[in-house]
Amino acid sequence: MDSGIVFNVQRYSLHDGPGIRTTVFLKGCPARCWWCHNPESQTSSPQTAWSQSRCISCDACLLACHEGLQPREACRACGDCAEACPTGARELLGSEMTAEQVLHNILKDRMFFEDSGGGATFSGGEPLCQPAFLKTLLSACRAQGIHTAVDTAALCPTETLLDLAPLVDLFLFDLKCASDTLHHQGTGVGNGLILDNLEQLGRVHRNIWIRIPVVPGFNDTTEEMDALAGLAARAAGVRQVWLLPYHGSWAAKPARLGASPPAETLAARTPSPQTMQDFARLFTARGLDTQIGGGA
């Protein structure tokens, strides 16, 4: 497929694989993690956001809207209000882009890739929700000699994952927890498919980095982290494990989308450095190259 829905192209990214990278965020995700730092990624179609703190009540958006700023559920996400807004209070999240347009943005940073060992990372949401578009993008990068990484929870049919694997230099594989029940409670979906896909991917791919968000009140127990360490140690193809401490910087995003942040966020706090070190030791004890970094 030559086009897809993209909600951000982030240049000079330092936490989405090795080196300096351009990260392309694709819309759509079947999970509903309550700590999701990109809630705007969950729906597959474009949507509009509004930031009250930026709004100066100039009514430019009202004048630009052909529908008279109907309730959010009636919004066609045409983007006219965002284009008219002088302060950025109105924003269009997601737009259709061609593979050529995305590649043009990626190639702007080729010099940085070559100097740093970086490349392009495809994230989301769940990028495998747009498998045909993702395959086109990966093929285009491969043709240009650009290192590719895919940040995925592998919430997709196994055949889709394996079909893309030869075009991916690095998989950033997201694991949330070992318990299927707990996974369903925290994300709205079970983890049976995810764990099966990790096993299947490990049989054909030899460069997988597992990324685990450490989320207070969800998976931040010794028992759960030790179970995850066991899963990572048994999986073929795993080269590194990254433990990502939760932070609450995303909590204002749901309001911009007309929703309230989940109640769990009120009690969640960033894990202490000591806690992160203690959890890391559970993984290094199993011979896994383990890093602490980035934010979940």
Side-chain angles (χ1 to χ4, degrees), residues 208-214 225-226 228-234 238-245 273-294:
I208 302 171
W209 294 4
I210 288 180
R211 305 213 298 184
I212 300 171
V214 179
M225 286 294 152
D226 191 53
L228 283 167
L231 285 173
R234 291 191 296 273
V238 174
R239 294 291 169 260
Q240 290 186 3
V241 174
W242 284 79
L243 301 182
L244 312 178
Q274 185 60 57
T275 296
M276 296 300 298
Q277 292 287 349
D278 291 343
F279 288 156
R281 278 192 284 272
L282 298 174
F283 291 82
T284 56
R286 295 176 184 264
L288 294 162
D289 179 0
T290 306
Q291 309 291 327
I292 297 171

Side-chain angles (χ1 to χ4, degrees), residues 104-223:
H104 175 73
N105 279 277
I106 292 171
L107 289 175
K108 291 177 182 178
D109 293 332
R110 183 195 285 274
M111 178 179 66
F112 298 115
F113 303 158
E114 293 174 350
D115 290 345
S116 69
T121 297
F122 299 96
S123 185
E126 171 53 73
L128 286 158
C129 281
Q130 299 186 55
F133 184 47
L134 178 58
K135 187 172 185 178
T136 300
L137 293 171
L138 290 168
S139 297
C141 288
R142 179 60 57 89
Q144 292 285 339
I146 295 172
H147 182 277
T148 58
V150 172
D151 180 9
T152 178
L155 280 163
C156 65
T158 303
E159 55 268 24
T160 298
L161 179 66
L162 298 184
D163 179 55
L164 293 175
L167 297 171
V168 181
D169 294 306
L170 168 66
F171 277 97
L172 306 175
F173 200 106
D174 300 331
L175 286 183
K176 288 15 178 226
C177 62
S179 163
D180 182 73
T181 300
L182 185 61
H183 198 281
H184 202 283
Q185 291 172 353
T187 72
V189 296
N191 66 355
L193 176 61
I194 294 170
L195 297 182
D196 184 59
N197 277 342
L198 176 60
E199 180 181 355
Q200 296 295 329
L201 182 63
R203 294 176 179 175
V204 300
H205 205 280
R206 291 294 177 265
N207 195 18
I208 302 171
W209 294 4
I210 288 180
R211 305 213 298 184
I212 300 171
V214 179
V215 182
F218 173 64
N219 64 358
D220 63 330
T221 64
T222 299
E223 293 75 17

